[in-house]
């Protein structure tokens, strides 16, 4: 748990970055999302099927959903929030049928779908509010991913970010996970 000063700093920064993201025009978010999908393509281009953990985007986030069609050789798993601020990832084959509104209206998999054991994850695309070039991540404040990621010892961790999410520094607690690869959309 953060000390009160760090928690307040995180809360203020989270609010400022989210306001910037929500103010981005839809066409800019679409362009950024396309760029980020292209940046992920080399990681996903292999023919060997991978278990990929992905997330359904909120309106202000990068849209990676076309990856399911662009790289159909992989198995895509989406997060389901559980009691105790825990995550479980379930296999999604057909998003329009397998994803339903969950917490805060965010699309989540039906609990009846096949569960991915954490140790079977090959690649996890980790969402976040803000990032630094050296891999620090500011999440949404629930700690779901910071609890889940240590269970996935063999998974490659990647985050995708809009330029507006990149920061020079972030408050960081000992329990906050670092993401080894942050792909950032080109502002151009």
């Amino acid at each position: 748990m953060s000390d009160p000063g760090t928690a307040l700093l995180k809360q203020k920064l989270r609010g400022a970055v989210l306001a910037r993201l929500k103010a981005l025009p839809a066409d800019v978010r679409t362009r950024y999302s396309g760029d980020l999908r292209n940046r992920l393509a080399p990681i996903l281009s292999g023919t060997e099927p991978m278990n990929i953990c992905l997330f359904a985007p909120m309106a202000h986030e990068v849209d990676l959903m076309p990856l399911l069609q662009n790289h159909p050789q992989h198995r895509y798993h989406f997060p389901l929030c559980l009691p105790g601020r825990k995550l479980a990832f379930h296999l999604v084959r057909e998003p329009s049928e397998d994803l339903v509104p969950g917490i805060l209206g965010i699309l989540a998999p039906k609990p009846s779908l096949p569960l991915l054991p954490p140790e079977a994850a090959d690649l996890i695309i980790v969402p976040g509010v803000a990032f630094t070039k050296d891999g620090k991540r500011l999440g949404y404040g629930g700690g779901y991913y910071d609890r889940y990621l240590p269970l996935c010892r063999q998974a490659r961790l990647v985050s995708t970010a809009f330029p507006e999410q990149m920061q020079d520094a972030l408050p960081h607690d000992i329990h906050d996970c670092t993401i080894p690869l942050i792909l950032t959309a080109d502002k151009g």
Side-chain angles (χ1 to χ4, degrees):
M1 181 153 229
S2 295
D3 70 69
T6 302
L8 183 59
L9 189 57
K10 285 182 174 184
Q11 182 181 358
K12 285 182 178 182
L13 183 56
R14 192 176 288 120
V17 174
L18 285 172
R20 282 197 306 266
L21 291 175
K22 291 175 182 179
L24 280 175
D27 64 316
V28 172
R29 282 196 302 272
T30 298
R31 182 170 43 82
Y32 284 168
S33 292
D35 183 41
L36 288 165
R37 289 190 300 269
N38 289 337
R39 291 174 188 270
L40 278 167
I43 297 170
L44 304 176
S45 64
T47 56
E48 186 69 30
M50 289 191 290
N51 286 313
I52 298 173
C53 296
L54 192 57
F55 57 93
M58 291 185 275
H60 63 273
E61 291 181 313
V62 60
D63 182 4
L64 299 175
M65 296 299 284
L67 294 176
L68 279 77
Q69 290 182 336
N70 298 344
H71 302 277
Q73 71 273 32
H74 303 302
R75 293 174 297 274
Y76 294 91
H77 307 267
F78 286 73
L80 178 65
C81 295
L82 303 172
R85 295 187 180 209
K86 294 183 180 179
L87 280 181
F89 281 83
H90 293 266
L91 180 64
V92 168
R93 291 186 179 95
E94 187 56 52
S96 63
E97 295 173 16
D98 296 344
L99 296 174
V100 296
I103 293 177
L104 303 174
I106 301 167
L107 292 177
K110 295 176 181 174
S112 60
L113 295 169
L115 178 68
L116 176 71
E119 62 276 6
D122 296 308
L123 173 67
I124 303 174
I125 301 173
V126 185
V129 175
F131 304 93
T132 62
K133 287 181 182 178
D134 66 348
K136 290 187 176 70
R137 170 187 168 270
L138 177 66
Y140 286 88
Y144 288 90
Y145 278 86
D146 290 317
R147 287 179 185 83
Y148 186 78
L149 294 178
L151 305 174
C152 309
R153 297 199 169 121
Q154 296 185 13
R156 183 174 183 184
L157 306 180
V158 177
S159 286
T160 54
F162 296 156
E164 291 76 7
Q165 292 177 272
M166 297 306 294
Q167 305 293 307
D168 291 332
L170 287 173
H172 195 76
D173 289 307
I174 194 162
H175 63 270
D176 291 335
C177 291
T178 300
I179 308 302
L181 178 60
I182 310 293
L183 299 175
T184 308
D186 186 1
K187 206 165 188 163

